[in-house]
Amino acid sequence: METMVNWRGNQVNQNKHGGVRATLFLYLLVIVRSSINAANTNLVGFFRSTHNMTIARSVILSTNFGGATWILSILGAFVADSYIGTFKAIFFFGPFEILGYGLLAFQAHHSSLHPPDCNIKQNPNTDCESLQGWKTLLLYLGLFMVASGEGFMRSSTPAFGSDQFDTNDPPQMKQKIRFFDFAAFGTCFGATFGLVLVVWVQSFKGWNLGLGVCALFILSGLIIGATGTPFYRYRLPGGSPLTRILQVIVVAFKKRKIVMPEKNIEDPELPAADASDAEMLSGTKDLRFLDKALIYTGDTNSWSYCTISQVEETKSFLKMLPILFSAVLCYFPFALFFTLTAPVAATMNTHLGGIRIAPAALYSVPVLIQWIVLVLYNRLIIPLVGRYTSNKYSIVTTHLVRAGVGFVFAMIATIVAALVERKRRMAADPKDLSFLWMLPQFILVGLMEVTSFIELMEFFNNQLPERIKSLGSSMVFCIVGLSVWLDGAIVAVVSRVTRIGNDGRGWLDGMTFDTTRLDLFYGMLAVLEFVSLLNFAFWARKYLLRLRSQ
């Protein structure tokens, strides 16, 4: 608790600061953030309805926004850990999201009063939004501000909630586990609420009102979160784990021409030198080029000399990068389902009984599945697995196998999506088909997301040394963010390549889904997912063999 202070900068009083009471203020912030973040999956509809963008361009912009949000989460974690702390990261950057939604709402209101003047029927590939440059500027500025605010809050809110408990106190450790359980519950509840109510407002009452509601929700969450200021514990910034890793790489590079001695007699490192480390790590024979960071040249500055534990931390991190990058490829269908499926469902019969349902409400299905699986996972699966997998190798194998099973669900989901889209295209009138035909693929995507996301998070947290364990969440954020960005690149490449020999019209060109070939696009994704799954299995097996040989 030495690194913890109260809001006045004084030593914390465990009876007054932190604990369950402090986290009560954060739960509402989690719910509000999740509801608005879930509603952002409907942005393709915003781009198409208010800016008359082509399908391909709206998907690319939506995936770029989603990828930026995830990647900025990593930047948020680094800034919070190294410089300003998690509390300031939340309440300094959170207002950026409010202002961003305000700009988007203003732009949507102006577009409703002055729609772009262009003839889409004469030229179905016309992108009317490009005709008004100031709208483009406001759009990108608003999206960047929303992504910045959401990204910083996404990484800092769970970390700040974790800081409210003392991990050295067993009762508080149990309370910390319950906090994450309730936070997961709040995330699912908020996402369901946003996908049902907020998306309905956006779809049927106008985007100006819907985006204004988003701004008000975030504002109310931040106000209630700030109300708990006197009750929180605040961790002083202590440096980012990424800095320790970067130091090893820089030092090893600076000493690359020095011959590694068999025994570094002048090495000043004694057991006491690593006493500040949470665990003592022994030297390994992998990635020997990093061992040059251990060579003592008379300077013990952290950018000139590194300890054995620090070098081994870096080795552990680098050895997991093949798993990270292979998982990025397996996550390809994730963002495309959440950007393409709801707009396609809007062309079908969206009535359920006598009630008209917003197609984006389908996204609540994966959320509900995650809700159920999370409860089963924490209450049933983890205790059962812990009983039968006692050694480190078996535990890691379990995490990687389950992540692979999640990616199998993703592959099946893309196949089902291709078949459903084929059926929609062959129908005399898509309105004769219920949008519930898309339910199976959403169920599969929900199983994929909850299985792979949880297991990869557990894998990275299990394998990273104690001093850099906080990078586990950032590595999973990086997987999702990079995959979402690559989705945009895939859409752009496929649109351009498929125009060749097809009268200049690509699979995803045009303003309506009647002119697209999503069935072929989903089929291509299924093949790509299969190849990516084999690649993931190769690197996972290689990692397990290396772990077993240690």
Side-chain angles (χ1 to χ4, degrees), residues 20 39 70 74 155 241 272 319 359 390 514 525:
V20 175
W70 285 101
I74 304 173
S155 60
K319 283 187 286 189
S390 57
D514 294 334
L525 279 182

Side-chain angles (χ1 to χ4, degrees), residues 40-76:
N40 285 339
T41 57
N42 198 32
L43 283 178
V44 168
F46 169 61
F47 300 142
R48 296 181 67 226
S49 62
T50 63
H51 295 78
N52 286 316
M53 289 187 182
T54 60
I55 293 171
R57 183 170 182 184
S58 61
V59 170
I60 291 170
L61 186 55
S62 180
T63 53
N64 286 345
F65 167 78
T69 303
W70 285 101
I71 298 300
L72 285 169
S73 300
I74 304 173
L75 177 62

Side-chain angles (χ1 to χ4, degrees), residues 255 257-267 288 291-297 305:
K255 300 178 180 179
K257 295 182 180 180
I258 301 177
V259 178
M260 187 74 185
E262 294 184 7
K263 186 175 181 180
N264 199 2
I265 300 176
E266 294 184 289
D267 191 335
R288 293 298 299 272
D291 290 341
K292 292 195 173 184
L294 299 171
I295 300 175
Y296 177 56
T297 57
Y305 174 80

Side-chain angles (χ1 to χ4, degrees), residues 8-36:
R8 296 181 182 275
N10 301 322
Q11 186 176 1
V12 299
N13 183 332
Q14 295 208 33
N15 295 323
K16 294 182 179 180
H17 305 113
V20 175
R21 179 177 60 177
T23 57
L24 292 177
F25 297 95
L26 299 176
Y27 286 130
L28 182 61
L29 181 57
V30 169
I31 293 173
V32 169
R33 265 196 52 254
S34 302
S35 64
I36 302 307

Side-chain angles (χ1 to χ4, degrees), residues 54-56 340 491 494-495 498 506-510 516-518 521:
T54 60
I55 293 171
L340 283 170
V491 170
V494 169
S495 295
T498 53
W507 288 353
L508 300 176
D509 284 345
T516 62
R517 291 306 305 267
L518 277 181
F521 180 69

